[in-house]
Amino acid sequence: MDQPKIERLLRLMKLLTANTTYTVDQLAERLDMSRRTIYRYIDTFRDAGFVIKKSGDCIRLDKASPHFKDISQLVHFTEEEAVILKSAIESIDDTNLLKQNLKKKLYAVYDNKTLADTVVRGKNAPNIRSLIEAIEEERQVILHGYQSAHGSAVRDRRVEPFAFTTNYVQVWCYDTEDGRCKLFKSSRISSVEVTETPWEHKADHREGFIDIFRIHGEERTRIVLEMGLLAYNLLIEEYPLAERNLKPTDNGRWLLDTEVAGMAGVGRFVVGLLDDIRIIEGPELKAYIQAYMAKNAL
C-alpha cells in the first residue's frame, strides 16, 4: 500500500473514532475524497476485522472492535503527551529533513492542538461506550453506584452527559438533581444506564475550567510565580501544559502567569519548593500556604 493511501486511511480512522459522528458525505468533504473512495476504505476496515457501526446516516468504527486496543496504544495521545511529543520534535535541528517529514506525517493525522483523545481500556470501557452513546443521542443516563469523592455515600445519579476530559478520565454532566454541571470520575461509576429520556437542559451544558495543575472548578484566580531553574524543571516534568504560561526573566529565573481553579494543586507544588519560588501575585495562594503550614507544623 502506498504512503498517501496509508495517510488517508489514518485520517479517516481518526474521524470514524472521534466523539463527533459524520455522514459519508461529510467524511468525503472533510477528507477531499469521493463517496466511492470512502465506502471502499470502510470496506477495507471491515475486511481487517473492525466493526462498522451505523446510527441513522452517520457511520463510525466501533471501539470494541478487535485489534482496536493495540492500535489505540500506538496512535492515540493525551493532551499532555502531545505537548511533550511536539516539544521533542521541535528540539531537533531545523536542517534535519527527518524532522520536517515527521511533523508533516504526524500533523496530517492529528489535530495540531490536541493530537487525539486516548481510547479507554479495561473495566470502564462498557461505561464509556454507554456514555458516548448517550452523548451522541442526547439522552439522560443513570450513573449507578456512583461514589462521591467528598464522602463515602454511594448512590445513583441521573445526569445529562455531554463531554469528556482528556483520556475519558472524567465526564462533564448536567446533574438534574443539583441543577448544575459537574465532573464525574469514570472510575467511580459502577454502571451506566442509558434512558429513553432526552436532554432537558441542553442550554445549560457548559464545560468547567481545568487548570494546569489538573484541578477543576467554576472560579478562576490569577496567580503569578517567580521560580528558579529547579522549580521550573519540576513544573514542566509534572505539569507539561504549564509551558505555555511560562516566560524567562532577565535574571535567569522564570515567571508563571496563569489562572487556577483552586489552591490545592498549585499550593502542594509551591509548598515543596518554597526556597525556589516567590509568589508575586496571589493573596489567596499565600493564605492557603500559611494555613497549610500552620496545620502541618510539628
Side-chain angles (χ1 to χ4, degrees), residues 149-150 165 170 172 180-185 208-219 260-262:
H150 305 293
T165 63
Q170 296 167 300
W172 283 106
R180 61 191 179 96
C181 296
K182 296 180 180 179
L183 266 180
F184 291 86
K185 196 167 184 179
F209 170 58
I210 302 178
D211 65 29
I212 61 174
F213 297 95
R214 308 186 188 104
I215 302 297
H216 69 88
E218 298 179 359
E219 300 295 328
V260 294

Side-chain angles (χ1 to χ4, degrees), residues 86-262:
K86 184 174 184 296
S87 298
I89 294 174
E90 295 295 348
S91 67
I92 303 174
D93 193 305
D94 286 332
T95 60
N96 190 323
L97 293 178
L98 290 177
K99 172 181 179 177
Q100 304 307 321
N101 290 338
L102 181 58
K103 287 176 64 177
K104 182 179 179 181
K105 292 177 183 178
L106 194 64
Y107 296 160
V109 178
Y110 296 109
D111 185 282
N112 200 10
K113 202 174 200 180
T114 303
L115 298 188
D117 289 330
T118 55
V119 177
V120 71
R121 299 177 288 275
K123 64 180 182 179
N124 290 330
N127 288 343
I128 298 301
R129 286 197 295 271
S130 294
L131 289 168
I132 291 174
E133 176 188 342
I135 292 173
E136 292 173 350
E137 298 180 0
E138 298 190 356
R139 295 186 180 278
Q140 292 184 358
V141 305
I142 299 175
L143 306 180
H144 288 291
Y146 185 78
Q147 182 177 357
S148 172
H150 305 293
S152 57
V154 177
R155 63 187 181 91
D156 296 347
R157 310 292 288 270
R158 178 177 283 267
V159 301
E160 297 178 0
F162 58 88
F164 290 99
T165 63
T166 303
N167 210 23
Y168 298 99
V169 172
Q170 296 167 300
V171 58
W172 283 106
C173 301
Y174 181 89
D175 190 320
T176 61
E177 180 181 331
D178 292 350
R180 61 191 179 96
C181 296
K182 296 180 180 179
L183 266 180
F184 291 86
K185 196 167 184 179
S186 303
S187 62
R188 295 181 182 273
I189 303 172
S190 178
S191 63
V192 176
E193 176 188 346
V194 181
T195 73
E196 296 299 321
T197 306
W199 286 350
E200 299 174 346
H201 308 277
K202 186 174 181 178
D204 298 316
H205 292 183
R206 292 181 182 83
E207 295 182 40
F209 170 58
I210 302 178
D211 65 29
I212 61 174
F213 297 95
R214 308 186 188 104
I215 302 297
H216 69 88
E218 298 179 359
E219 300 295 328
R220 297 187 182 213
T221 304
R222 181 172 178 248
I223 61 162
V224 180
L225 305 180
E226 182 187 83
M227 58 187 66
L229 186 60
L230 173 62
Y232 165 80
N233 286 332
L234 289 174
L235 181 67
I236 294 301
E237 290 175 7
E238 294 183 27
Y239 307 104
L241 296 183
E243 188 170 6
R244 57 194 177 196
N245 301 117
L246 283 163
K247 292 182 180 180
T249 66
D250 295 334
N251 60 354
R253 293 173 66 80
W254 294 83
L255 278 182
L256 174 68
D257 189 339
T258 190
E259 292 181 320
V260 294

